[in-house]
Amino acid sequence: MNHRFFEERLFTDEPLTAQERLFLEQHLRSCERCRTLHAAWQETQLVLESAGWVAPRAGFSQRWQKRYVQREARTQQRRALALFVINALLAALFAFPVFALVVFSPQPLWLRVVIALYNLSALVPILEGIYTFLFTIIRATSQLLTPATEAALIAMFVGLTLIWLAMLRKFSARRVTC
Amino acid sequence: MEPRSRDEDLRKQEPQWIQQALLGDTEAFVELIELYQRSVFNLCYRMLGTLEDAEDAAQETFLRAFHSLRQYDPARPFATWLLSIAAHYCIDQIRKRRMVIFSLEDLPEPEFASHDPPLETTVGIREDQQKIQQLLKTLSEVDRAVVVLYYWYDLSYEEIAKTLSLSVSAIKSRLHRARRALANSWLKRYPATFQEADRKGYESPVF
Ligand SMILES: [Zn+2]
C-alpha cells in the first residue's frame, strides 16, 4: 500500500472496510508524510464543520426593494431611449426621399409649390364625394327617426363626448404627476 | 438549512408568496427574501470573501430570481433554486475578476477582506473563520462552490450536482480534489501546529 491509496481513502466519503481501516492505520504509523496530511485534514475538517453562517447587515430586504426600483427605472429609461432612437431612424428613413427630391429637383421652389397645389386639387372630387356620402347617410337616418329619438341620440352623443373629454383630462393629469 | 421553528412556519406560506410574486407583487417576494437572505448571503460570502461583495451578489441573486421566477420548478426546493442562482453568479464574478487581474498585469492581489470593517464587530467571525476564508480562496471557483454547498448546506451529491449543473461523479471528484487541496494549504499555512498532532498519530485510532 502506498501514499496514493492512503490519500484516495482519506478524502472520500465512502465507508472503509475493516481491512482497509487496518491497512490505513498501519500505513499511518509508518509514514510521516501521510500522518501530517491526515492531521492537517482533521484540523481543516473541524474548522469547516464548526463554521457558522454569516448573515447580512440588517435591512437587507429594504435595500433590495430600493435596488429593484432603481433598476426598473433604469430599464425603463433605456427602453424609452431605444424607442426614441428607432423612431428617429424611421423618421429619417422616410424623410430622406422627400428631402432628396426637394434638394435635387431642377425646378425653382415657387414652381414646385404651384405644381404641388395643382396636384392636390385632384383630391377635391374625393372630398366632395365624402361630403355627399355623409350628407346622404344623415338625411336618410333623419327620415327614418322620429324627432324624439333624434334628440335622444344627439344628447347621448354629447354626453359620451363629455365623458371622453373628462377621462382624457384625468389621464393626462395622472401622467404629469408620475 | 438551519432548523428554526419560526422559519418552518413561514415556509408553509412559501407557495403562496411565490404565486403572488409571479404576478409582480414585490411585497410577497420580500417575504421570500426575509426567509432566505441568510442562506444566500452566506453562500456569497463564502464564495467571494468580503461582506461588501457578498451583499452585492446576494442582492443581484434576488433580483435575478425575481425576474426569472417563471423558470422556477415548484417540484424543487425554492432554497436550492436560489442557491443555484447565487452560486452561478458568484462563479461568474470570480471569473470576471480574474480576467481583470490578468489584464492589469502584475498588480498585487488585494489582501483578503482588507477593506471590510472589522469582521468581529459586524458578524462575530472568529479567527477560525478567517482561516477558512483564506483556505477557500485557494480553491478554484467551482470547487469552492462544491465545498461550501457540502459543508454549510448539508446538500446531497445529487442536490449539489443539480445546483451547479454538473454530474454527480464530477461533484465527487471535485470534492475529493478540493479536500486534498484544503489539507495541503492548511499544511503550508500552519505547519507548526502539526508537531503535536504528529506525535498523537501514533497512539490514537485515526479513522
Ligand atoms: Zn504515506
Side-chain angles (χ1 to χ4, degrees):
Chain A
M1 196 175 58
N2 53 26
H3 302 306
R4 233 179 117 180
F5 180 73
F6 179 85
E7 283 185 21
E8 209 55 56
R9 304 306 284 152
L10 177 60
F11 298 116
T12 178
D13 287 326
E14 319 276 318
L16 298 168
T17 65
Q19 205 178 19
E20 278 177 334
R21 189 183 301 262
L22 198 70
F23 273 145
L24 291 176
E25 278 177 21
Q26 273 172 356
H27 179 74
L28 213 55
R29 272 186 215 107
S30 62
C31 174
E32 199 190 329
R33 191 189 128 184
C34 288
R35 200 159 58 233
T36 319
L37 190 66
H38 175 259
W41 176 234
Q42 296 276 38
E43 290 247 354
T44 314
Q45 237 178 334
L46 202 73
V47 179
L48 275 174
E49 278 157 11
S50 65
W53 280 15
V54 176
R57 270 185 299 128
F60 180 86
S61 59
Q62 285 92 318
R63 290 195 295 282
W64 180 83
Q65 275 174 306
K66 218 167 149 188
R67 192 182 274 231
Y68 173 77
V69 171
Q70 281 170 355
R71 197 63 60 89
E72 285 297 293
R74 211 192 302 162
T75 316
Q76 259 170 21
Q77 267 174 10
R78 248 183 238 154
R79 238 175 252 161
L81 185 70
L83 207 68
F84 173 76
V85 169
I86 289 168
N87 280 332
L89 282 174
L90 282 175
L93 204 69
F94 284 113
F96 183 73
V98 178
F99 176 74
L101 273 177
V102 170
V103 168
F104 300 113
S105 171
Q107 288 126 355
L109 186 65
W110 67 268
L111 188 60
R112 279 186 313 220
V113 171
V114 170
I115 294 169
L117 286 176
Y118 175 74
N119 285 338
L120 280 174
S121 70
L123 291 176
V124 171
I126 297 173
L127 291 173
E128 260 175 11
I130 292 170
Y131 174 75
T132 319
F133 172 79
L134 287 174
F135 185 75
T136 315
I137 295 274
I138 289 167
R139 206 173 46 183
T141 43
S142 68
Q143 278 161 353
L144 286 173
L145 298 171
T146 63
T149 41
E150 202 174 339
L153 271 177
I154 289 167
M156 207 173 82
F157 179 74
V158 170
L160 278 174
T161 310
L162 284 175
I163 290 170
W164 181 74
L165 280 173
M167 277 177 74
L168 197 72
R169 240 184 103 174
K170 208 175 162 188
F171 180 67
S172 52
R174 201 189 306 150
R175 277 183 68 179
V176 169
T177 55
C178 252
Chain B
M1 303 304 116
E2 294 205 331
R4 288 196 302 170
S5 61
R6 196 181 71 89
D7 277 5
E8 290 303 317
D9 293 339
L10 290 176
R11 215 153 281 166
K12 284 181 193 143
Q13 297 182 54
E14 189 186 286
Q16 192 194 328
W17 287 332
I18 294 171
Q19 276 305 315
Q20 283 171 265
L22 268 169
L23 299 171
D25 183 351
T26 51
E27 293 296 326
F29 194 72
V30 162
E31 298 287 353
L32 292 166
I33 295 178
E34 291 287 342
L35 198 53
Y36 294 114
Q37 52 178 332
R38 292 181 73 247
S39 172
V40 168
F41 186 89
N42 180 63
L43 176 68
C44 296
Y45 176 70
R46 299 299 172 188
M47 287 297 290
L48 301 173
T50 72
L51 295 172
E52 202 181 21
D53 290 341
E55 165 86 14
D56 195 57
Q59 293 279 355
E60 283 302 316
T61 298
F62 283 111
L63 275 182
R64 286 182 177 200
F66 186 67
H67 285 301
S68 50
L69 206 53
R70 271 172 214 296
Q71 288 157 34
Y72 166 63
D73 169 16
R76 208 178 155 189
F78 193 66
T80 52
W81 184 68
L82 282 175
L83 290 177
S84 175
I85 296 175
H88 281 113
Y89 181 79
C90 291
I91 288 170
D92 283 350
Q93 287 303 106
I94 296 167
R95 285 180 182 158
K96 269 186 209 158
R97 198 185 301 171
R98 195 189 304 130
M99 265 157 64
V100 171
I101 288 171
F102 277 152
S103 66
L104 289 175
E105 245 185 317
D106 290 17
L107 199 77
E109 215 176 308
E111 192 48 44
F112 210 58
S114 58
H115 57 289
D116 269 344
L119 287 174
E120 291 82 357
T121 58
T122 350
V123 279
I125 296 173
R126 299 192 314 273
E127 197 191 339
D128 274 359
Q129 301 280 3
Q130 297 274 25
K131 276 186 186 172
I132 269 300
Q133 288 306 113
Q134 294 282 357
L135 286 179
L136 286 174
K137 210 181 127 195
T138 63
L139 299 176
S140 79
E141 56 275 9
V142 179
D143 287 1
R144 202 183 304 175
V146 173
V147 166
V148 173
L149 290 170
Y150 185 87
Y151 284 100
W152 273 273
Y153 297 87
D154 290 330
L155 297 183
S156 66
Y157 290 132
E158 287 75 17
E159 285 169 317
I160 298 174
K162 216 169 172 191
T163 303
L164 297 176
S165 323
L166 292 168
S167 68
V168 171
S169 62
I171 296 298
K172 280 186 185 170
S173 73
R174 276 180 184 275
L175 193 61
H176 191 272
R177 186 174 69 193
R179 282 167 169 164
R180 185 199 306 244
L182 286 174
N184 279 320
S185 334
W186 185 283
L187 264 183
K188 248 181 243 159
R189 274 171 199 274
Y190 316 108
T193 52
F194 294 102
Q195 282 150 9
E196 183 69 10
D198 223 8
R199 257 179 279 120
K200 270 193 239 161
Y202 283 108
E203 295 129 32
S204 57
V206 285
F207 288 101

